Amino acid sequence: MKIVIGLTVSSSGGNGHATLWRGLCRALVAAGRRLDEAAEWLRMLGGRYVRTGLSWADSFRPDAEAWFDRQMRALAEFDVTLTFCFTPEHRGVQPHHANPPLELAGYADFCARMVRRYVTGGPRCGSGTEPIGREVVSV
């Protein structure tokens, strides 16, 4: 897996490689399907590139890291562009997921924690012997 790290404020044009994954996820979620099925469909459709986000807001939910681990394991065979997104309402300038954080340090800590966990060899995924990320490209 190659992981590209990008901090995004909003989705930009020209992300065709991500469109298939996002559309597929929306369709499968609407049909009550699960993450593993979405990854299987992407595999069957010949997808190679995926952009996904780890939500700072979601990190405050119970079992958030277990969900993040599952998400990253499901995408381990793809080239992943990883974004960090969504301010928790209680940490934003105003209570909305698209507002900037009150304190940048909290957001930076979340990003650093996720990079350590999924890029630089934190918890092992898959077989339990290899870190998720092997090659990192920072933008």
Side-chain angles (χ1 to χ4, degrees):
M1 170 194 295
K2 175 174 28 176
I3 296 181
V4 178
I5 302 209
L7 304 178
T8 62
V9 175
S10 65
S11 182
S12 60
N15 286 322
H17 67 276
T19 304
L20 174 63
W21 174 251
R22 285 191 308 243
L24 185 59
C25 284
R26 285 185 189 130
L28 290 172
V29 166
R33 306 302 170 130
R34 300 188 180 266
L35 171 67
D36 296 328
E37 290 180 67
E40 180 61 27
W41 272 102
L42 185 59
R43 198 174 297 112
M44 289 187 306
L45 293 169
R48 199 176 96 200
Y49 301 98
V50 176
R51 183 181 77 185
T52 194
L54 297 177
S55 167
W56 184 31
D58 286 348
S59 72
F60 288 91
R61 294 178 184 232
D63 299 321
E65 286 188 352
W67 165 250
F68 292 159
D69 288 349
R70 185 167 171 245
Q71 176 182 350
M72 296 305 288
R73 268 192 304 273
L75 302 176
E77 69 189 79
F78 303 101
D79 288 341
V80 176
T81 297
L82 182 60
T83 61
F84 304 113
C85 52
F86 303 126
T87 303
E89 288 189 358
H90 68 283
R91 296 279 183 104
V93 172
Q94 294 188 11
H96 190 274
H97 68 274
N99 266 260
L102 283 169
E103 297 179 26
L104 288 177
Y107 180 65
D109 289 344
F110 166 74
C111 295
R113 213 169 63 245
M114 296 299 101
V115 167
R116 282 191 303 273
R117 187 169 187 87
Y118 298 112
V119 179
T120 60
R124 308 304 182 192
C125 291
S127 67
T129 59
E130 294 184 23
I132 296 175
R134 293 189 217 2
E135 178 183 356
V136 178
V137 179
S138 184
V139 293

